[in-house]
Each structure stands twice: as C-alpha cells, then as structure tokens.
Amino acid sequence: MMTSLSAAGVQWVVVAVVLAVSVVYALWRIVRALKSARHPCAGCEGCALKELRMQQRQSHRTHEKPECFHKK
C-alpha cells in the first residue's frame, strides 16, 4: 500500500505532466495561428471566400497583358 507521501508525489507528477502537455498544446496553437494569420482563408478548405479568390485568380490569368507592358 502507498503511503500518503508517495501518493502526493504521484499527484505532483500527474499535475506536472498535464501542465507540460497543456503548455505544448497552447504553444502549438499559437504558432499555428500566427502562421495562418497572413493567409486570408486561414487554412479553410471549402469556404465561399476561397472559391471567390480562386475565381478571381483564374479570371486574372485569362486577361491579356496591358498595352504598355509590351515595350520595344
């Protein structure tokens, strides 16, 4: 049978592990949020904004270059 001192030691170990895991998870989410902050869709795979942006990109590709672009 465990004594009260060793039970308290086990509790501290469990608390330390839970705290470490939560800190790592929080840092991972912060880094992920900062990386996606520069992207307007923020990693969204199927929202209407992404579809609109894709349509705009495709329409820009089909346009010819402006007249002033062709320098001699």
Side-chain angles (χ1 to χ4, degrees), residues 19-44:
L19 226 113
V21 169
S22 63
V23 166
V24 168
Y25 178 75
L27 288 174
W28 173 69
R29 293 294 294 190
I30 289 170
V31 168
R32 187 173 162 199
L34 290 175
K35 283 184 178 179
S36 65
R38 287 177 255 156
H39 192 273
C41 290
C44 178

Side-chain angles (χ1 to χ4, degrees), residues 5-59:
L5 183 60
S6 64
V10 170
Q11 286 177 343
W12 280 110
V13 170
V14 170
V15 167
V17 168
V18 168
L19 226 113
V21 169
S22 63
V23 166
V24 168
Y25 178 75
L27 288 174
W28 173 69
R29 293 294 294 190
I30 289 170
V31 168
R32 187 173 162 199
L34 290 175
K35 283 184 178 179
S36 65
R38 287 177 255 156
H39 192 273
C41 290
C44 178
E45 296 295 329
C47 66
L49 178 61
K50 183 172 182 174
E51 291 174 17
L52 180 63
R53 291 188 72 220
M54 293 300 286
Q55 288 174 356
Q56 287 176 346
R57 273 192 201 146
Q58 289 174 354
S59 68

